Amino acid sequence: MANNNSEIWNDGAWLVHRYDASADAFHLRPVSRSAHNAATFLTDEYLGLEPSPLVLSRREAKARRAENASLHFILHSAFCASTMFANAFDLPGLSMGLKEPVLLNDIVGFRRRGAPPVAVAERLGDALDMLARPFGDDSAVVVKPSNIFNALAPASLAMRPTSKAILVYAPLSVFLLSVARKGLWCRLWCRELLEGQITDGIVDLGFEPGDFFRQSDLQVAAVSWLAQQKLFHHMTRKFGPERIATLDSERLTANPGKALFAAASHFGLGNHAAANDAHPAFGTHSKLGGSFRIEDRHAEYALAQTAHGDEIEKVLIWAEAVAQSANIQLTLEHPLRF
């Protein structure tokens, strides 16, 4: 493991875990490839608490910026197999996938607390530089932020012109099935998600603030999905197919190896023998661990459809009318080709 700041800067195995706005500093901690794979997300819940992280001032981190670091993005609207997909980018010698680093959530929080846009942009750029530090001989890092980061995604791509993104999303019906089957905690999470999106200024669907209090849980979930879909649509138009590809969860889970191979090509990583259906990420439950097959996923959704189908059908009709009124496409352009 690295033993001085120079080596640490060039070693992606030292994860930049947090940004401390009060001290304007980054907190780093050592996280091996195996630890990345074992952790569902890069949070203290899964990594464990770090009693004494290495603290690096943002000024020092900025001075040691790696010029040739390659960073790409998996952006998502939740419940679309994006964690599985990010796991699959653990391709030694080629890339490493980072799953929802808290660092980027800290930048979101810094913005939502009212920081000036220039200050947010500076810290966002420095945070992305820190995440781009490669593992060993890898040529790139592929980061999958939490979907609360989506409002900052356009700025991230604008400030990193060599970065590309794949926008992964579940069809609206599948998204609503996921919310319904996950129960109360997920319905509450969708309300929290929408609250953040309103703060970020990305909810422009023709509703008044009081309207959301009169909407059901699944209507709120649909609104949050539509807001993200509208943002993604704008990104496909702004950055074009050279930098943006889109991928729906059903295509991804039906052919994960082909999707990974095509995604690696989109990111400019070339061909790699490990990019195939045999990757261990494709047979493991990304959240709970253990064996998991596409048949298991289909069975879970069939049960949810039986239990919640009537409610979902009504919300879908309503949401499609909202989408039409707001000119939102339910299927994104520039699909990843495979």
Side-chain angles (χ1 to χ4, degrees):
M1 189 61 67
N3 55 19
N4 63 61
N5 283 0
S6 177
E7 291 179 5
I8 288 170
W9 171 247
N10 293 302
D11 186 359
W14 278 85
L15 173 70
V16 188
H17 185 48
R18 302 300 304 261
Y19 171 66
D20 179 357
S22 62
D24 197 20
F26 294 115
H27 291 189
L28 288 77
R29 59 182 297 176
V31 182
S32 65
R33 282 193 107 103
S34 60
H36 273 275
N37 290 330
T40 300
F41 301 122
L42 298 178
T43 65
D44 290 335
E45 177 183 358
Y46 296 101
L47 295 175
L49 294 175
E50 176 67 32
S52 54
L54 173 68
V55 179
L56 188 69
S57 73
R58 191 170 63 88
R59 177 180 295 181
E60 183 179 359
K62 198 177 189 73
R64 297 178 179 276
R65 181 177 182 271
E67 295 297 330
N68 299 318
S70 181
L71 182 70
H72 302 290
F73 298 91
I74 295 172
L75 304 170
H76 65 100
S77 54
F79 313 136
C80 54
S82 58
T83 303
M84 175 195 76
F85 202 37
N87 268 328
F89 277 94
D90 175 19
L91 301 169
L94 186 66
S95 65
M96 185 63 195
L98 306 183
K99 297 165 293 184
E100 305 201 6
V102 180
L103 172 66
L104 296 182
N105 294 5
D106 289 338
I107 303 300
V108 172
F110 182 68
R111 178 176 185 252
R112 289 180 177 176
R113 289 191 297 272
V118 171
V120 175
E122 289 176 351
R123 286 152 181 79
L124 174 61
D126 294 339
L128 295 176
D129 287 341
M130 294 292 283
L131 290 176
R133 293 151 48 249
F135 279 65
D137 296 329
D138 290 357
S139 58
V141 171
V142 178
V143 61
K144 187 207 96 161
S146 164
N147 68 329
I148 70 169
F149 180 78
N150 286 342
L152 287 175
S156 300
L157 286 171
M159 66 178 57
R160 298 190 68 90
T162 62
S163 294
K164 298 184 179 183
I166 296 177
L167 312 183
V168 186
Y169 66 103
L172 181 54
S173 60
V174 175
F175 179 84
L176 293 176
L177 273 171
S178 294
V179 174
R181 76 180 183 84
K182 291 175 184 291
L184 179 61
W185 76 264
C186 192
R187 292 172 182 250
L188 293 172
W189 176 84
C190 287
R191 291 188 177 274
E192 182 181 353
L193 174 63
L194 180 59
E195 179 185 19
Q197 291 172 327
I198 293 171
T199 300
D200 293 335
I202 64 170
V203 183
D204 183 18
L205 305 178
F207 295 109
E208 296 295 330
D211 292 339
F212 302 120
F213 291 100
R214 293 184 289 273
Q215 292 173 358
S216 72
D217 293 336
L218 290 193
Q219 283 178 297
V220 167
V223 169
S224 70
W225 185 94
L226 289 169
Q228 293 178 112
Q229 196 79 349
K230 185 173 185 177
L231 175 67
F232 285 173
H233 174 67
H234 288 328
M235 290 179 64
T236 62
R237 290 292 178 90
K238 179 177 181 178
F239 295 105
E242 297 79 15
R243 299 188 64 194
I244 297 283
T246 66
L247 178 61
D248 76 70
S249 60
E250 306 315 282
R251 290 185 69 223
L252 169 57
T253 55
N255 291 287
K258 291 181 179 179
L260 176 60
F261 194 86
S265 178
H266 174 70
F267 289 147
L269 303 179
N271 300 332
H272 195 279
N276 57 47
D277 289 327
H279 196 290
F282 299 144
T284 305
H285 197 294
S286 60
K287 305 295 194 302
L288 304 177
S291 176
F292 193 74
R293 305 165 301 158
I294 189 171
E295 293 83 2
D296 299 321
R297 184 172 184 268
H298 290 163
E300 287 183 350
Y301 284 118
L303 287 173
Q305 181 64 40
T306 299
H308 305 284
D310 181 66
E311 180 185 9
I312 290 170
E313 182 180 355
K314 290 180 171 63
V315 172
L316 277 174
I317 294 171
W318 174 84
E320 288 167 1
V322 174
Q324 184 175 9
S325 175
N327 194 28
I328 300 173
Q329 297 183 4
L330 300 183
T331 302
L332 293 175
E333 299 174 309
H334 311 328
L336 185 68
R337 302 191 181 281
F338 55 90

